[in-house]
Structures are given as structure tokens and as C-alpha cells.
Amino acid sequence: MYVSMKGILKRANEGHYAVMAINCFNLETARAVIDAAQELRAPIIIDLLQDHLTSHLDARFLTNPIIKMAEEASVEVAINLDHGHNVAIVKQCLEAGFSSVMMDASSYPYKENVAITKKMVEFAETYNASVEAEVGNIGAVTGENYTNQAMYTDPKQAIDFANQTGIDALAISYGSSHGDYPGGFTPAFQFDIVREIKEATNMPLVLHGGSGCGEENILESIRLGINKINVGSDFMKAQVDKIKTNLEETPTINYVDLISDTITAGKEVVQYYIQLSGSTGKSL
Ligand SMILES: [Zn+2]
């Protein structure tokens, strides 16, 4: 069932669980994610990052086959443009059939973020697509900087943003970062930010950079109102590790088997996160 995020996140909000959104960039990664969700009867979101669509495989060649997979899936599958920074590309994705987009104008001054996002919400209505946006700025793991408190979401601003734009889901920054944390490091989350925004908006909130956050942080985030959790790094890493092991153990392995095995490895990570998110059995 190919759906937008509207229904699956509305039910997650009412039912106090989260839906997993996993970064995919080719057919094999999408296959792994959909297979994982089907086996657990979980709604799922395929996140296609704008950067991957411009650097790896253009949306024009990728979207249709993934939509086909989603339509034929036995569970609800949404396709979401992740971190759409460029208005023209976000519009192209909607025209190409994405059921959901993230309009990420969070690097602009606040008023511009509001204006750009509001316009995109109006544009997306024509397609009945859902829109996610971001206030504050969820950074990336770089060097010794794992989180930057200066980029945390200001709850008052987030509440105003939600009211002004009419978005379907709001990504907030309260301690997570994109990418891989060094071994043994668990970020400290500022849960008050989640609590305050949820109480005032009662809308679906999104945790980006879910990889490596730790089970306790994720469970507490869900308890306080996070309904969508983005995971990319852990999913990709499992697949790279599988390739490394296969090449070490069977240097003569053929390419088809090598890549097929990454689907199985990726699927296991997705199923771990689905179980953690509480979305098992929640698909229509
Ligand atoms: Zn993100």
C-alpha cells in the first residue's frame, strides 16, 4: 500500500509509538526496508535523501520502481524526500510521485524558513502529500563535535512554526546528530524540548539521527511524543560490514550474492528498530 505519512503518523501520535524512516538510495536498500516491515506488519517510511538523489541516482530513475514496490507491499509504505533543501528539487519530487517531502529550510533565518515551508505545504496539498519541516538544526557528527547545543530547537519558535505553516510533522533538534558516534558514546538528550513542543502542538514530532542514540533515549523520546525516527548510518553500516565479512571469508564470492546478502543484513537492522519503535503490527 503506497501512502503518505499523514495517516501513519496520525495513528502513531494517537497510539504513542513511532514509525521508522530508513535512508535508502537504491532498489536493494528499499527492498530490505519493505521486506523488514512486511514481516513485522509495520508501517514504514523510505527516506530518500536529496544529497543521494543528486550524487548517486536521480529521482527520475529511482522513484517509479520504488513506488511499484510500495504499491505491491502488504503494509503501508510512504516515500519521503529527506532533507529537501532545494525548493525546485522538492517540487520535482512531488511531481515525480513522492507521497511525502521534507522541506528543510532550517538553515535560513526563521522567518524565511516559515515562508518557504508554508508555500511548500500549499504546493504539496495538490498532491495530497505530507510535508515535514525542521526548526533548529540537527547537525552532524564531525571531529570531536557530536552535538551542538546552539542548534537546539527553541520550543517557542517550534510551536509558532507549527501553527503558521500547517506542516504534518516537525523535526526538532534536542541532542541527536547525523552520522556515527564514536564507540561507547551516547548523546545526552534535552527531553524538556520534546515535552514542551508536544504539549503545545500535539503533532507528530521527528527524531533525526536515530543511529547510535541508545535504546533508553529512543524509548523516552517516543514516550514524550516522537512519532517518526530516522535511521540511516546503522542501516548502511550493517551492509558495509556484511560486504567486508563476505569478502574476507569468501574472496571469490560473486557480485550478485555479495549484494543480495546486504539486503538480509540491512533487514535485520530495520527489524531491530521497528521492534524498538513500537510499530510492529501497526500497519493497516
Ligand atoms: Zn536528518
Side-chain angles (χ1 to χ4, degrees):
M1 272 173 283
Y2 184 37
V3 299
S4 83
M5 301 198 309
K6 286 178 193 278
I8 54 181
L9 291 187
K10 182 172 181 282
R11 294 201 321 274
N13 192 14
E14 290 162 0
H16 308 288
Y17 59 90
V19 176
M20 293 309 304
I22 311 291
N23 280 117
C24 299
F25 67 99
N26 60 12
L27 298 185
E28 288 80 3
T29 44
R31 184 75 267 158
V33 171
I34 294 174
D35 282 356
Q38 288 187 142
E39 282 178 19
L40 296 177
R41 301 290 317 148
I44 198 86
I45 298 157
I46 306 269
D47 257 354
L48 300 175
L49 190 66
Q50 181 191 296
D51 287 352
H52 291 162
L53 295 175
T54 49
S55 67
H56 182 69
L57 199 56
D58 196 306
R60 289 177 300 140
F61 308 119
L62 196 58
T63 317
N64 281 342
I66 299 181
I67 290 177
K68 185 89 179 141
M69 276 189 212
E71 285 171 347
E72 293 187 8
S74 62
V75 293
E76 294 160 282
V77 180
I79 300 177
N80 178 48
L81 173 68
D82 193 25
H83 293 284
H85 295 288
N86 180 311
V87 169
I89 294 179
V90 179
K91 287 184 173 175
Q92 275 168 24
C93 286
L94 286 165
E95 283 157 3
F98 278 58
S99 64
S100 305
V101 290
M102 177 186 190
M103 181 66 248
D104 182 359
S106 62
S107 59
Y108 288 90
Y110 177 68
K111 278 188 179 172
E112 281 180 65
N113 189 3
V114 171
I116 293 168
T117 306
K118 203 172 168 179
K119 269 192 193 162
M120 194 54 72
V121 169
E122 284 164 16
F123 186 81
E125 259 172 33
T126 322
Y127 299 91
N128 204 20
S130 55
V131 178
E132 174 184 344
E134 178 173 326
V135 177
N137 199 310
I138 304 146
V141 177
T142 48
E144 301 207 341
N145 270 337
Y146 310 139
T147 52
N148 183 350
Q149 297 209 4
M151 302 191 295
Y152 283 5
T153 302
D154 171 358
K156 301 274 181 296
Q157 217 171 46
I159 295 159
D160 178 67
F161 186 88
N163 289 335
Q164 285 204 54
T165 57
I167 47 167
D168 300 285
L170 178 66
I172 56 174
S173 173
Y174 60 99
S176 67
S177 287
H178 294 104
D180 278 324
Y181 298 114
F185 177 85
T186 308
F189 280 5
Q190 298 296 312
F191 288 114
D192 286 351
I193 295 175
V194 187
R195 191 181 287 115
E196 189 176 344
I197 297 170
K198 190 69 172 193
E199 277 176 8
T201 64
N202 194 31
M203 70 178 300
L205 301 179
V206 185
L207 167 64
H208 279 242
S211 293
C213 283
E215 292 191 2
E216 281 181 21
N217 275 338
I218 287 185
L219 291 174
E220 183 66 0
S221 295
I222 296 169
R223 199 181 69 77
L224 293 172
I226 290 291
N227 301 116
K228 172 176 179 265
I229 299 174
N230 287 18
V231 164
S233 298
D234 281 356
F235 176 61
M236 301 295 175
K237 188 173 182 300
Q239 295 169 86
V240 172
D241 287 349
K242 185 68 191 172
I243 289 175
K244 282 184 196 161
T245 313
N246 271 348
L247 289 174
E248 273 164 23
E249 290 175 356
T250 320
T252 55
I253 190 168
N254 74 55
Y255 187 52
V256 176
D257 292 339
L258 185 68
I259 300 305
S260 292
D261 278 358
T262 63
I263 297 178
T264 316
K267 202 172 94 177
E268 282 171 17
V269 173
V270 178
Q271 292 195 328
Y272 161 78
Y273 276 107
I274 288 174
Q275 303 276 20
L276 191 61
S277 71
S279 59
T280 303
K282 301 293 189 187
S283 180
L284 293 178

